[in-house]
Amino acid sequence: MLSHIPDAIELVDYIDDGEQARHYQFRLVNINKPSEKNTNNNTAKHHWQDAQPGQFFMLNVPSIGEAAFTFTEPPNEQGEFRALIRQMGKLTTTLFTLPKGDILGARGPFGRGWPLEKINKKNIIIIAGGCGLAPLVNLIDSLIDNLTASQQLVLIYGAQNKQAQLLTTERERWQQHIKIYNSLDEINDQYTLVENESQGTPLDIVDIALATFIKPATTALLCGPEIMMNSAAKKLVDNGIASDDIFLAIERRMHCAIGLCGHCYLNERYVCKNGPTFSWQELQ
Amino acid sequence: MCADLVKTICPFCGVGCGICLKVDEQGQLLSVEPQQNHPISQGKLCDKGWSTAYAINSDQRLTQPLKRINKSFYPISWQEALTTIADELTAIIDESGSQAVGVISSARASNEDNYAAQKFARAVLKTNNIDHCARICHSPTVAGLKQSLGSGAMTNSAKDILETDLMLVFGADPTENHSILGGHIMQAHAQGTELIVVDPRVTRLAKLTPMHLQLKLGSNIALINALLHVIIKEQWFDQRFVESRTQGFEQLAKHVKDITPESVESTTGVSAELIRTTARAYSHAKRAMIFYGMGITQYVSGTNNVISLANLALTCGHIGKAGTGVNPLRGQNNVQGACDMGCLPNVYPGYQAVAELENQEKFSKAWGTKVTQQAGLTSLGMTKAAQSGDFRALLLFGEDPVVTDPDQNHVQSSLKNLDLFVVAELTMTETAKLADIILPAASFAEKDGTFTNCERRVQKVNQAIAPLGEAKGDWQWLQALAKEMGSKLLNWQSSEDVFNEMAALTPPYQAMTYQKITDNSGLQWPCTNETPNGTTILHQQSFPIGRARFICVNQVDIDESTDDNYPLLLTTNRLHFHYGCGSMTRNSPLLERETPPGVLFINPIDAKALNINHQAPVSIKSRRGYVETRAMFSDDVPVGLVSMPYHFKEAPSNQLTNTAQDPVTKMPELKACAVVVAALAKDQVPKTIQQLQEGK
Amino acid sequence: MEIYHLDDLSLLQQHLLAQYQLYQVVKNDDKQCSWQQQTKERNEPLIAELPQSSAKDFFFAEHENLLIFNGEYFQETLPTPAPFVLFGILSCDLTAISYQDQFFKDDPYYQARRQQCLLVGLDCIKPCQQGFCPTVDAGPGVREHTADIILHPLENHQWLLISTNDKGTEAIKGLSLKTCHWHFLTQRDLTLHQCEQEFTDDSDITQAIDKLNNGEVSDSFWQQLAVQCLGCSGCTTLCPTCSCYGTRSITDESEDKKVITQQRFWDSCLYEGFQREASFHNPSAEAGKRVQRFWQHKFGNEFFAEFNRHGCVGCGRCEQTCPGVIGVHSVMKRINNNA
Ligand code: SF4
Ligand code: SF4
Ligand code: SF4
Ligand code: FES
């Protein structure tokens, strides 16, 4: 049976990041493994330790409801995990008012994460827009940790403007290991672009980024607004990357996360169950 | 599990669809399903109908009487509520006379409740200060059609839609406001019936037909006069009908002689050619039906707009036969009934004029108490008089004028000025928040009675569940209040008693009983001893005024035009998933999800020029008010026009709308005013009107 | 499979009433049919008529609580219905239940109810008004794998009773029944075959299904069609295989404690807001996309592959209830004529 029931989590901490976004740290109140039979009602019901990069969880803000978020750091031994959350609708607006120490709920991990077997050791171009970088944080960290000598990783990160850029600390950390290009939709007159920064959308820099590779990129990871991803995928196919080596993380409204409520449909698939990552080929 | 299926009538609009309430063993309302064999809806409902259970079961429902002390409400007993109200009413009447008190009843409430309300006002309070909200929907219909035809109601029936050859939909958006009737129109159109839509917006129906006359706001009369011009000039009118059934044709012919299609092209924005094609199609159709809505009535020229539509139908003889007629689409479920019941200051039940001595005597005798001769105030009149302090106590039920009335701020300050303000409601509305005493009202699922739909069909509403908490039906608490004031005049035993008293005094309802209504799936008035099975088509042999009258009317421009400071025109519309002030429909999580709280429809071209994105926060300002909401791109509104639904208390369009009135009916011009729209900062959440006002 | 001869239907009803709550389709004064509980006292004749509301609410409730939150932890609120029987359920609705059984295989709430239910199917021997079950392999005769017991009317108010599985056999244990010869089954097949012949021509539907799956229906066709969708949710509410739901939280605050319930309720993919995200991004903002989704879900090959059948069981309810006149027959006809 599938569980609709969240485990209780504590809102441990948060820090602001960019415009109206925050890094939240949560902790599972009870980290008993589901297998450790315990008649308590507060036994953990979900297999938190199995979380893979790109998978997501349902955050339950009790008076409001549930919504899906990706881990920026998956649950560790102590049951602590993090997520980057942007203030958007009713649920996040309420969340942003909650004090540290509040008890909320979470279910997960859900969905199919990034296909690690097809990514490891490959030359990878990553294209992310705005909040779309969040589902990649965890993956980029682990890719960098395991970077081989011959392997190359390039990230294009697009944002509306300077204030809308997120994950600055992370990007600075990555900068030391991989090449990062930043694009900004709008800049004001006084602003002077710094190195590797340009005005426009991520699409404008794809050619430049591809040229950075010594041996051609063979794999692409995309995350962000759907229109941007679709155009980027087409462009990458034109540049010789196979459509089953291009992966997209799709966002949809979700209520159940277990393939039942129907809200996240994408053609005949359910994004929560069959995704959220899909190869470009699967989406054709 | 569903233990019982109680058949009743959908409470959300004037179509009056048949609905079944599913009730479980514990008497809880579970959900609904349509009545499969209902004469109009035949197993269909619109989204509002389908979500009825949410509205009734809402945790927002009021369950006990409340009394306001300063800014907070405290629960009190019914007895305390009634004593307080009775004492204050009596004191005010003693001090300032009966003219200082009044009742505003509800087009949502049953005929029985409305009959009781006007009787309470007239027989207990001794005032003709009784009104309901038709003022802001269809009072021009009553006034206009009464003059032209002698009766202010839909002349034909829903079933005629499938018997006509041409449907002319004028300033109405039936698929959104009267969805099931709109569905009939779509069905007829799909089967080959011609459809002509006249509307400044590209409505759903307009998308289905090549014949869309996208006229400029408020140019109805110019357009109709030009149609008449063509029809008369080309001799396309129905000479026999005009000669035998009407009067005043000569003057009309003279009046429109020079109003050529070319001469109105610039006023209406409709090409002369399209006007000619329309004139030809309408006059040549064997049977043609006119439907109209608030795009006709909510103008300063509302009454005249209605009259000119009557002129058009009469000229072509498209009236008094199956598949023809002038058919107003009335908004609320029982707006027809509230009018029929005499919840208008100038008429008793059955439109018997208050001013006539004979009628005063009739009702004095029937009720066993002398009724007043003094003329009554309309709802706007009452609020105006409240402003000056001449009007001091108001009982209001099932209405939310603070959201739905034009010029909110004025309404609000007048209501605050009252010495006693009593509101009976289902939920805490914006209006109820201003009340001194709030009474918990029973919903339609909790009472017996009748509703009269837009085709004059009186239908039986059946109680399915017990009233929530201490809620009471309207006539029941009016009865209790009357008793408290020492009057036995409202001492009925049952809803049926109320109905029978009413039917005996209301000629069009004369031959109706509950049993007959149930047996016939509703009866259409007039249902008299001569027409015991009701009347599906009015005016077949003659008009109530003998011959119908042609009345010459002139184009009147909208009261407020655009200028440099207010460069866009704002019109109001309704969304099919909400109803009235939304106090019921917005309790459905499904309907509430359909739009963010408040929207402004704007043409992408206008939006681009103003640097506004789809769904972006915007501000809208008129000479009277300011609101914030979200922009919704829509090609359905032409460039230069923006449109706003009025359901949302967070961003009420009525902060902005004009109070200029139709001189005859005092109907405010809700359909047009000048505004300026501006983008707000990208991430700003639009402030609700409540936040804006508190910020002040 | 066991076949019996049943002389007196009421014996079976009484027998089942002793072990189950018994529900049956009942017709009211307005000729409207609905599922109603029967008791020893309330005992109406068995009719082969399709109720307006299908039986899906028995398993996938129109509104139900999923859990409560007490401030500390979340607790599942599983339903605990008494054993019940749907007596005389028609083949299209049975097929729909079997479809939903697959879909909700791992849903604890659905299964908690489903497990308690005995399905007694009833063969249709006359076509109904809007139905086209033979076209989509869902009737008129009850498919064996969809019911525990099948009833087939014989002449002179006699019945053929077929028990298809252990659950069925268990349920009729103790009832004295005559086993009967297999040739009655042949007779049944013949009757059902004849009934199938009486259905109206279904070529509109079969051809439209082909067109749909061959990519011959354009986006602009869907858009034009969808102008007529009023987003009423009638089709999805009445369709026995529709399963989408929304969720909401309800806070119940009394003086000393606050309990939060999470509820799920039937939703409709025809609503504009169904897929709209908090960011206002809406992949199905166009009505055409939503209407297309509905029909793709009912007739698309991709879903056929997953469920081994169409999502539509041919009950015709959507045709009857659609105010926009775009129910199954109308849509399929239009696909054939104009797409
Ligand atoms: S059309 Fe009107 S009466 Fe019919 S279901 Fe909708 S709101 Fe109710
Ligand atoms: S799609 Fe229509 S005909 Fe098919 S199962 Fe659903 S309601 Fe019945
Ligand atoms: S029944 Fe018809 S109008 Fe209603 S949602 Fe379904 S397709 Fe749309
Ligand atoms: S979120 Fe419910 S099906 Fe995917």
Side-chain angles (χ1 to χ4, degrees):
Chain A
M1 289 292 145
L2 296 164
S3 181
H4 298 262
I5 312 302
D7 286 327
I9 57 171
E10 184 191 333
L11 194 175
V12 178
D13 202 3
Y14 53 79
I15 43 167
D16 289 338
D17 183 352
E19 247 177 13
Q20 291 178 305
R22 279 179 188 172
H23 290 273
Y24 271 90
Q25 187 187 348
F26 301 110
R27 189 180 59 82
L28 287 155
V29 172
N30 196 317
I31 49 169
N32 294 359
K33 297 202 178 65
S35 54
E36 292 169 13
K37 265 273 179 269
N38 181 337
T39 43
N40 261 348
N41 254 314
N42 46 6
T43 312
K45 295 171 191 74
H46 300 274
H47 299 264
W48 292 103
Q49 308 300 336
D50 301 346
Q52 295 293 316
Q55 281 194 299
F56 67 95
F57 67 98
M58 295 298 281
L59 177 69
N60 188 310
V61 177
S63 58
I64 308 291
E66 295 189 323
F69 298 96
T70 43
F71 305 100
T72 46
E73 265 175 48
N76 61 18
E77 292 285 305
Q78 285 71 47
E80 286 165 351
F81 61 97
R82 285 170 198 268
L84 174 63
I85 297 176
R86 214 170 113 83
Q87 189 186 341
M88 240 5 166
K90 212 165 144 194
L91 182 130
T92 48
T93 304
T94 309
L95 175 68
F96 273 44
T97 65
L98 297 182
K100 295 170 194 172
D102 255 27
I103 301 295
L104 314 174
R107 299 187 284 133
F110 291 123
R112 178 174 72 165
W114 300 106
L116 298 177
E117 69 295 346
K118 299 206 69 169
I119 293 175
N120 284 337
K121 312 227 159 41
K122 296 283 169 51
N123 274 353
I124 308 170
I125 177 165
I126 303 177
I127 306 175
C131 220
L133 197 48
L136 287 158
V137 172
N138 188 210
L139 179 71
I140 295 176
D141 275 332
S142 82
L143 284 174
I144 289 177
D145 285 348
N146 301 307
L147 215 55
T148 64
S150 60
Q151 187 189 8
Q152 226 184 331
L153 218 61
V154 174
L155 167 66
I156 305 177
Y157 177 59
Q160 188 79 24
N161 50 40
K162 202 72 193 165
Q163 296 77 30
Q165 282 188 328
L166 301 172
L167 295 154
T168 312
T169 353
E170 283 77 2
R171 282 182 292 120
E172 275 165 10
R173 184 169 78 227
W174 300 334
Q175 194 98 49
Q176 332 221 312
H177 310 278
I178 65 172
K179 183 99 192 156
I180 301 183
Y181 294 95
N182 293 306
S183 73
L184 297 168
D185 282 25
E186 30 184 80
I187 53 170
N188 59 30
D189 305 340
Q190 291 88 41
Y191 186 75
T192 32
L193 293 162
V194 298
E195 204 198 328
N196 293 331
E197 203 172 57
S198 59
Q199 192 187 356
T201 69
L203 292 180
D204 302 333
I205 347 181
V206 171
D207 290 329
I208 305 171
L210 286 174
T212 329
F213 285 89
I214 301 163
K215 272 189 172 166
T218 56
T219 305
L221 307 178
L222 315 179
C223 193
E226 224 163 305
I227 309 180
M228 183 278 279
M229 289 197 288
N230 290 346
S231 326
K234 282 182 198 137
K235 195 155 186 166
L236 293 168
V237 171
D238 291 344
N239 277 287
I241 303 188
S243 64
D244 58 348
D245 283 320
I246 301 170
F247 300 96
L248 300 78
I250 306 278
E251 210 173 275
R252 281 289 181 275
R253 180 188 184 110
M254 292 185 186
H255 284 263
C256 72
I258 46 182
L260 291 177
C261 75
H263 283 267
C264 67
Y265 74 79
L266 172 70
N267 306 324
E268 73 280 13
R269 298 190 175 84
Y270 292 109
V271 170
C272 65
K273 197 167 82 174
N274 311 115
T277 62
F278 292 96
S279 75
W280 180 239
Q281 189 180 45
E282 286 173 299
L283 297 179
Q284 296 316 297
Chain B
M1 272 305 113
C2 161
D4 203 5
L5 217 53
V6 180
K7 79 168 194 180
T8 186
I9 299 302
C10 172
F12 290 117
C13 85
V15 178
C17 296
I19 196 168
C20 293
L21 303 180
K22 297 186 190 177
V23 181
D24 71 7
E25 277 94 1
Q26 286 78 43
Q28 296 287 319
L29 179 60
L30 289 169
S31 59
V32 303
E33 67 175 46
Q35 274 181 37
Q36 271 177 307
N37 303 306
H38 187 267
I40 302 163
S41 52
Q42 296 160 0
K44 307 167 205 302
L45 292 174
C46 75
D47 47 357
K48 293 183 286 285
W50 276 111
S51 16
T52 305
Y54 288 110
I56 308 302
N57 287 338
S58 157
D59 49 359
Q60 312 286 317
R61 282 280 302 274
L62 298 166
T63 53
Q64 49 189 341
L66 300 172
K67 182 183 176 134
R68 185 164 55 88
I69 301 172
N70 296 323
K71 280 200 148 171
S72 320
F73 285 98
Y74 299 90
I76 54 171
S77 69
W78 267 102
Q79 191 49 55
E80 187 184 342
L82 293 171
T83 319
T84 315
I85 301 169
D87 289 353
E88 288 206 34
L89 275 177
T90 317
I92 290 170
I93 294 173
D94 284 350
E95 253 175 65
S96 313
S98 290
Q99 274 306 90
V101 300
V103 181
I104 296 182
S105 78
S106 169
R108 280 154 53 181
S110 67
N111 287 327
E112 290 72 5
D113 293 334
N114 276 295
Y115 177 79
Q118 61 85 36
K119 185 174 178 187
F120 181 83
R122 291 183 165 125
V124 181
L125 299 179
K126 307 277 183 188
T127 174
N128 283 310
N129 293 342
I130 167 83
D131 203 355
H132 72 285
C133 90
R135 186 78 42 212
I136 57 164
C137 320
H138 271 284
S139 49
T141 288
V142 178
L145 292 185
K146 190 106 194 170
Q147 288 178 55
S148 297
L149 312 175
S151 160
M154 186 162 168
T155 60
N156 288 58
S157 302
K159 71 167 174 46
D160 288 50
I161 296 174
L162 296 175
E163 293 169 9
T164 189
D165 301 302
L166 181 144
M167 303 171 287
L168 178 57
V169 179
F170 229 106
D173 200 355
T175 56
E176 314 311 293
N177 306 332
H178 303 85
S179 307
I180 296 304
L181 270 193
H184 289 339
I185 294 176
M186 291 199 288
Q187 185 186 349
H189 177 61
Q191 291 167 2
T193 309
E194 204 168 334
L195 173 63
I196 303 177
V197 175
V198 185
D199 207 293
R201 294 183 309 120
V202 188
T203 59
R204 194 188 295 270
L205 289 180
K207 288 179 191 153
L208 292 172
T209 174
M211 292 292 286
H212 176 204
L213 282 62
Q214 195 168 10
L215 84 174
K216 288 190 189 158
L217 227 48
S219 61
N220 294 301
I221 298 179
L223 178 70
I224 299 167
N225 278 342
L227 289 170
L228 287 167
H229 168 94
V230 177
I231 292 167
I232 295 171
K233 177 148 178 261
E234 303 290 340
Q235 301 276 326
W236 290 339
F237 58 94
D238 183 340
Q239 188 137 15
R240 270 222 351 242
F241 185 88
V242 166
E243 277 170 11
S244 61
R245 302 280 309 271
T246 70
Q247 60 188 35
F249 185 68
E250 297 304 309
Q251 287 95 303
L252 180 77
K254 209 145 97 219
H255 182 70
V256 299
K257 189 157 174 285
D258 296 323
I259 310 180
T260 60
E262 284 74 16
S263 74
V264 300
E265 263 186 336
S266 69
T267 323
T268 62
V270 181
S271 75
E273 195 193 331
L274 195 50
I275 296 178
R276 289 210 160 80
T277 327
T278 305
R280 187 189 168 89
Y282 179 75
S283 58
H284 281 63
K286 201 155 152 259
R287 288 161 300 187
M289 267 180 118
I290 294 175
F291 297 95
Y292 72 88
M294 307 218 269
I296 282 289
T297 55
Q298 291 186 332
Y299 285 104
V300 284
S301 56
T303 304
N304 287 346
N305 287 344
V306 171
I307 287 173
S308 38
L309 282 177
N311 287 342
L312 183 61
L314 290 169
T315 305
C316 299
H318 286 326
I319 198 157
K321 302 171 210 145
T324 67
V326 183
N327 300 288
L329 296 174
R330 314 197 69 168
Q332 292 177 288
N333 56 319
N334 200 32
V335 61
Q336 183 66 53
C339 292
D340 295 350
M341 291 305 108
C343 285
L344 294 168
N346 58 338
V347 291
Y348 294 119
Y351 306 96
Q352 305 174 73
V354 163
E356 308 234 339
L357 200 61
E358 190 190 331
N359 294 333
Q360 292 169 11
E361 278 165 7
K362 172 175 173 181
F363 282 90
S364 296
K365 191 160 153 250
W367 290 339
T369 182
K370 195 153 170 45
V371 297
T372 176
Q373 303 190 330
Q374 215 171 349
L377 296 169
T378 64
S379 55
L380 282 176
M382 290 187 239
T383 44
K384 234 185 214 145
Q387 195 76 283
S388 62
D390 294 336
F391 183 80
R392 297 177 53 198
L394 175 63
L395 310 187
L396 177 141
F397 57 96
E399 300 279 350
D400 195 4
V402 169
V403 175
T404 54
D405 259 37
D407 202 357
Q408 287 214 314
N409 298 331
H410 167 85
V411 173
Q412 220 157 4
S413 67
S414 323
L415 293 178
K416 279 188 189 150
N417 220 18
L418 291 166
D419 294 322
L420 173 67
F421 182 32
V422 180
V423 173
E425 252 301 354
L426 293 171
T427 58
M428 183 61 86
T429 59
E430 292 306 299
T431 304
K433 285 180 188 158
L434 303 177
D436 299 299
I437 300 218
I438 304 179
L439 303 173
S443 76
F444 87 108
E446 294 146 34
K447 53 193 188 191
D448 280 318
T450 53
F451 290 156
T452 306
N453 82 348
C454 64
E455 41 149 47
R456 300 167 276 108
R457 184 186 297 271
V458 182
Q459 306 193 87
K460 187 70 204 335
V461 173
N462 295 309
Q463 179 171 1
I465 54 174
L468 230 69
E470 296 175 24
K472 271 194 207 301
D474 294 311
W475 73 254
Q476 283 91 342
W477 68 257
L478 283 164
Q479 174 181 67
L481 182 59
K483 271 192 195 150
E484 195 66 30
M485 294 175 75
S487 164
K488 291 200 187 95
L489 292 173
L490 268 53
N491 279 9
W492 303 288
Q493 296 299 314
S494 65
S495 295
E496 191 161 9
D497 274 0
V498 188
F499 188 87
N500 291 342
E501 174 181 321
M502 177 278 295
L505 290 167
T506 309
Y509 286 68
Q510 194 180 61
M512 291 186 193
T513 62
Y514 272 11
Q515 190 59 49
K516 255 180 84 183
I517 291 172
T518 305
D519 293 346
N520 290 281
S521 302
L523 286 168
Q524 288 172 275
W525 65 250
C527 174
T528 61
N529 298 333
E530 291 75 52
T531 54
N533 295 322
T535 310
T536 53
I537 301 165
L538 295 182
H539 317 313
Q540 297 191 60
Q541 312 302 332
S542 68
F543 293 92
I545 48 170
R547 282 169 175 265
R549 262 182 241 135
F550 285 109
I551 301 166
C552 302
V553 288
N554 289 310
Q555 166 67 21
V556 182
D557 290 334
I558 51 176
D559 180 70
E560 188 177 77
S561 47
T562 54
D563 58 23
D564 288 349
N565 293 331
Y566 299 96
L568 292 170
L569 273 181
L570 171 81
T571 190
T572 54
N573 66 301
R574 288 189 279 174
L575 301 172
H576 63 83
F577 27 79
H578 287 310
Y579 169 67
C581 58
S583 66
M584 285 177 90
T585 44
R586 290 192 61 193
N587 291 316
S588 156
L590 297 164
L591 302 189
E592 177 64 1
R593 184 184 63 199
E594 283 301 86
T595 53
V599 282
L600 177 79
F601 294 101
I602 184 166
N603 189 289
I605 295 173
D606 284 332
K608 206 163 222 157
L610 294 166
N611 228 331
I612 293 170
N613 290 325
H614 185 48
Q615 301 281 16
V618 292
S619 69
I620 310 137
K621 197 169 134 211
S622 78
R623 291 193 172 80
R624 289 152 300 276
Y626 173 93
V627 298
E628 295 184 358
T629 185
R630 285 191 185 275
M632 186 96 89
F633 283 15
S634 169
D635 292 319
D636 302 351
V637 286
V639 174
L641 182 67
V642 291
S643 175
M644 222 177 148
Y646 70 67
H647 317 275
F648 302 99
K649 61 170 190 266
E650 294 87 344
S653 58
N654 294 341
Q655 280 288 322
L656 307 168
T657 43
N658 198 346
T659 39
Q661 294 170 350
D662 176 308
V664 187
T665 61
K666 312 282 189 283
M667 167 85 190
E669 184 152 273
L670 293 178
K671 281 287 173 190
C673 74
V675 295
V676 54
V677 176
L680 296 172
K682 188 171 134 278
D683 284 314
Q684 185 178 330
V685 179
K687 289 202 187 63
T688 65
I689 189 68
Q690 292 77 17
Q691 290 168 331
L692 287 167
Q693 282 170 349
E694 275 157 23
K696 256 187 225 163
Chain C
M1 185 158 75
E2 297 155 14
I3 331 160
Y4 303 96
H5 205 101
L6 184 65
D7 296 328
D8 184 354
L9 193 68
S10 67
L11 284 182
L12 176 63
Q13 276 163 307
Q14 294 307 328
H15 179 78
L16 293 174
L17 261 174
Q19 326 160 47
Y20 298 94
Q21 294 194 339
L22 188 140
Y23 294 89
Q24 199 174 299
V25 173
V26 163
K27 197 184 240 181
N28 72 7
D29 299 342
D30 293 314
K31 303 204 178 62
Q32 185 145 336
C33 296
S34 62
W35 284 101
Q36 298 286 330
Q37 193 173 356
Q38 301 288 292
T39 55
K40 283 208 172 61
E41 297 75 42
R42 182 178 182 190
N43 208 332
E44 278 145 295
L46 181 63
I47 49 175
E49 287 202 51
L50 202 62
Q52 179 171 240
S53 295
S54 77
K56 79 174 170 188
D57 176 51
F58 280 96
F59 311 110
F60 169 44
E62 188 160 352
H63 312 263
E64 75 181 314
N65 293 340
L66 295 179
L67 58 92
I68 52 171
F69 176 65
N70 59 7
E72 261 180 69
Y73 53 84
F74 297 82
Q75 235 177 327
E76 190 168 51
T77 47
L78 277 186
T80 51
F84 64 102
V85 48
L86 297 185
F87 191 78
I89 178 166
L90 304 183
S91 186
C92 55
D93 277 358
L94 277 167
T95 309
I97 292 178
S98 125
Y99 184 90
Q100 294 237 9
D101 284 350
Q102 250 187 88
F103 184 76
F104 284 113
K105 181 163 82 289
D106 294 320
D107 181 69
Y109 308 89
Y110 181 96
Q111 291 301 338
R113 296 192 177 85
R114 181 67 183 87
Q115 240 87 86
Q116 293 294 79
C117 174
L118 178 79
L119 294 171
V120 178
L122 174 60
D123 282 342
C124 284
I125 53 169
K126 281 236 156 48
C128 63
Q129 266 233 310
Q130 304 273 18
F132 52 98
C133 53
T135 316
V136 288
D137 183 24
V142 173
R143 303 318 197 230
E144 227 174 86
H145 66 281
T146 63
D148 304 309
I149 292 173
I150 302 171
L151 292 172
H152 179 81
L154 300 170
E155 270 152 30
N156 303 327
H157 306 289
Q158 307 239 310
W159 298 84
L160 199 62
L161 186 157
I162 306 167
S163 161
T164 68
N165 59 25
D166 294 349
K167 200 168 176 179
T169 309
E170 189 61 31
I172 51 172
K173 212 189 213 155
L175 192 67
S176 68
L177 289 165
K178 290 173 276 177
T179 42
C180 70
H181 196 269
W182 60 265
H183 82 237
F184 275 100
L185 283 186
T186 325
Q187 181 59 44
R188 173 184 180 234
D189 287 346
L190 222 68
T191 314
L192 293 175
H193 182 73
Q194 200 163 22
C195 172
E196 257 178 57
Q197 301 306 307
E198 288 169 34
F199 277 83
T200 46
D201 175 33
D202 65 354
S203 53
D204 260 340
I205 294 175
T206 49
Q207 283 167 27
I209 296 176
D210 287 343
K211 274 190 149 181
L212 198 74
N213 283 311
N214 293 336
E216 287 172 45
V217 188
S218 67
D219 286 353
S220 65
F221 171 83
W222 289 118
Q223 249 172 54
Q224 188 55 34
L225 186 83
V227 170
Q228 287 177 234
C229 173
L230 304 179
C232 72
S233 80
C235 53
T236 50
T237 303
L238 294 187
C239 179
T241 62
C242 271
S243 55
C244 287
Y245 66 81
T247 52
R248 64 166 170 173
S249 287
I250 297 170
T251 307
D252 199 356
E253 220 160 338
S254 61
E255 277 123 54
D256 47 344
K257 68 168 185 248
K258 183 165 147 183
V259 174
I260 294 170
T261 323
Q262 200 161 309
Q263 201 182 55
R264 75 175 172 192
F265 48 85
W266 291 357
D267 204 337
S268 173
C269 59
L270 275 322
Y271 282 127
E272 204 258 334
F274 184 75
Q275 282 207 306
R276 196 196 311 117
E277 295 153 30
S279 62
F280 295 111
H281 171 241
N282 186 353
S284 51
E286 278 172 26
K289 289 241 158 59
R290 303 194 292 274
V291 173
Q292 178 179 16
R293 157 73 186 178
F294 182 90
W295 295 109
Q296 200 69 34
H297 199 189
K298 301 302 166 197
F299 291 115
N301 279 343
E302 320 80 17
F303 293 98
F304 196 107
E306 190 179 339
F307 291 90
N308 250 314
R309 62 158 298 106
H310 285 305
C312 171
V313 298
C315 70
R317 288 183 174 98
C318 53
E319 182 70 28
Q320 159 88 41
T321 207
C322 179
V325 221
I326 47 170
V328 64
H329 294 289
S330 312
V331 168
M332 296 289 129
K333 199 185 224 137
R334 268 171 77 166
I335 289 183
N336 255 345
N337 297 343
N338 319 318

